[in-house]
Amino acid sequence: MIRPTALFVQPLHLDYPVWRWNLERFKDYFESIWISLSNHHVPNRDLSNFIRSKLPFANFVEVVRTRDDWRDDAVNNLLDKLGDGVSHICFMEQDFLIKDKTFFDKVFKKDLPFIYYKEGERIHPAFAIVSKKLVDKTSKDFSVQPPGDHFYKFFNE
């Protein structure tokens, strides 16, 4: 059974209570949990201290903007913080809801290089597990790429 490192991009101005609850419930399935705090410049709405207090087991990264796309910046800031011992990375969005408590037992059972959620004909960025070796072979471009959305170029690579 694999134990991937989970990566999340968390806007400072939003809270996802069900996501926080699921992280607490399922945290032991992950080697570690990393959350980038992405500033979308919503005035008077910084929930970062609240989020940190509710998820004391997670590692938090402040996003340094160096790229044109906010999510590309946030994901790369997270990847830059990971150590050498990471075997798999689980990219997940807060609204990817896990209803079945055996979900991770089933999904993490086999050591596969790429597991993903497909919506229609596209690989959706809401959930994907990618071996670190595969991630390192890409350009690590997670920006919006027409005709797709975030992660389009990454998934195609």
Side-chain angles (χ1 to χ4, degrees):
M1 186 154 154
I2 63 169
R3 287 189 69 219
T5 295
L7 303 185
F8 296 92
V9 175
Q10 173 62 39
L12 296 177
H13 66 285
L14 296 173
D15 180 31
Y16 297 90
V18 174
W19 166 69
R20 288 189 288 103
W21 177 65
N22 274 333
L23 279 182
E24 179 65 39
R25 281 195 320 161
F26 299 120
K27 68 183 179 212
D28 292 336
Y29 283 94
F30 299 101
E31 187 64 36
S32 59
I33 297 170
W34 290 80
I35 302 168
S36 65
L37 298 170
S38 181
N39 190 348
H40 296 259
H41 306 287
V42 176
N44 303 315
R45 189 86 173 138
D46 182 347
L47 300 175
S48 60
N49 287 334
F50 172 76
I51 305 265
R52 285 176 195 267
S53 72
K54 296 298 181 184
L55 303 171
F57 49 84
N59 302 286
F60 289 89
V61 174
E62 302 291 332
V63 177
V64 177
R65 294 297 307 264
T66 60
R67 301 167 186 249
D68 293 333
D69 184 277
W70 63 271
R71 191 163 181 190
D72 186 34
D73 262 332
V75 174
N76 275 287
N77 276 237
L78 288 167
L79 289 172
D80 289 345
K81 298 292 183 187
L82 300 181
D84 291 335
V86 174
S87 66
H88 293 77
I89 296 173
C90 180
F91 300 98
M92 197 178 335
E93 294 178 350
Q94 289 83 343
D95 58 354
F96 186 77
L97 302 178
I98 299 140
K99 299 174 185 174
D100 180 357
K101 65 182 179 181
T102 65
F103 175 79
F104 290 116
D105 288 322
K106 294 172 187 173
V107 174
F108 295 169
K109 189 174 186 175
K110 293 184 180 178
D111 184 352
L112 299 172
F114 187 28
I115 302 169
Y116 55 87
Y117 169 67
K118 197 166 184 182
E119 181 181 72
E121 293 304 309
R122 75 178 181 131
I123 299 172
H124 198 292
F127 183 82
I129 302 162
V130 186
S131 75
K132 181 71 165 61
K133 289 178 184 176
L134 278 182
V135 171
D136 290 341
K137 290 180 181 179
T138 72
S139 64
K140 299 179 187 173
D141 185 341
F142 302 95
S143 64
V144 171
Q145 298 284 324
D149 56 9
H150 287 107
F151 283 66
Y152 183 78
K153 182 176 182 180
F154 174 74
F155 287 148
N156 282 304
E157 289 176 339

